[in-house]
Amino acid sequence: MTPRAGFALLMLLQLGCGGFLLLDILASLFGIQYRPLSWALMELIQIGAVLGLLLGVGGSILLMRQATRRQQDAESRLRLASGAFMEVIEERFADWALSPAERDVAMFLIKGLSTAEIAVLRHTSEGTVKAQTNAIYRKAGVSGRAQLLSLFIEDLLDEPVRRAEDAA
């Protein structure tokens, strides 16, 4: 049974049990008469409804724990991937022999900042940032930001990107 189906089943069980208890209380409150049941059978039905609600709560707790565990696992994998991405970036920067200033600019390029934003953050002119950007592209052997980013994505995917003419 899938977690979603289990959750739906627990919700139906809780709704049914809660609905039964609510109807019983409302019938007593408003004096609604229905076919009488023996008190022993009524007690058994009420006990069953309460047990059903308790089972639903217990099942919900288990599902919540599973969901929390899955979320923690996903966050852990994301941290590992983030660390791996930073390792890939550092390896590439070292391979290209980028200067510290070029490393800063390259990191800002990867993060998607504009030339003007990088200049403000680095307290330099846009012309300096453009010159550093061109040096980064030359050292990386790319012609622009999109190709620079694709180098890192390719490393993370561990599969080279095929060109259209290669695929044909």
Side-chain angles (χ1 to χ4, degrees):
M1 178 181 302
T2 66
R4 183 175 288 183
F7 181 73
L9 188 62
L10 285 173
M11 292 303 294
L12 286 173
L13 175 67
Q14 288 177 326
L15 284 172
C17 293
F20 170 78
L21 292 174
L22 182 64
L23 286 175
D24 186 46
I25 291 169
L26 289 176
S28 296
L29 184 65
F30 293 114
I32 299 172
Q33 298 294 320
Y34 54 88
R35 186 172 172 199
L37 299 173
S38 71
W39 68 269
L41 180 59
M42 190 63 160
E43 293 288 322
L44 285 174
I45 293 172
Q46 288 176 343
I47 289 171
V50 170
L51 288 175
L53 288 172
L54 291 175
L55 179 66
V57 169
S60 296
I61 289 170
L62 289 175
L63 288 173
M64 181 63 86
R65 282 185 182 167
Q66 287 176 350
T68 302
R69 223 176 286 123
R70 273 192 236 112
Q71 179 185 1
Q72 289 170 344
D73 289 346
E75 288 172 357
S76 177
R77 286 192 302 273
L78 182 61
R79 278 192 299 278
L80 288 173
S82 177
F85 187 61
M86 287 307 297
E87 287 176 21
V88 167
I89 288 173
E90 288 302 322
E91 286 174 13
R92 286 292 184 137
F93 288 178
D95 291 345
W96 299 333
L98 297 183
S99 70
E102 291 169 342
R103 286 174 181 254
D104 288 345
V105 171
M107 189 60 77
F108 288 137
L109 289 171
I110 291 167
K111 289 182 179 182
L113 276 67
S114 69
T115 302
E117 292 169 325
I118 295 170
V120 169
L121 287 172
R122 300 210 66 249
H123 306 290
T124 61
S125 71
E126 285 187 45
T128 301
V129 173
K130 285 179 185 177
Q132 291 168 327
T133 300
N134 287 330
I136 293 163
Y137 294 158
R138 181 179 40 76
K139 290 178 180 182
V142 297
S143 62
R145 186 186 304 228
Q147 284 184 347
L148 181 69
L149 287 172
S150 72
L151 292 175
F152 296 108
I153 293 169
E154 188 176 306
D155 280 350
L156 284 177
L157 294 177
D158 233 6
E159 290 182 22
V161 177
R162 294 187 310 170
R163 292 191 174 102
E165 58 268 12
D166 295 340

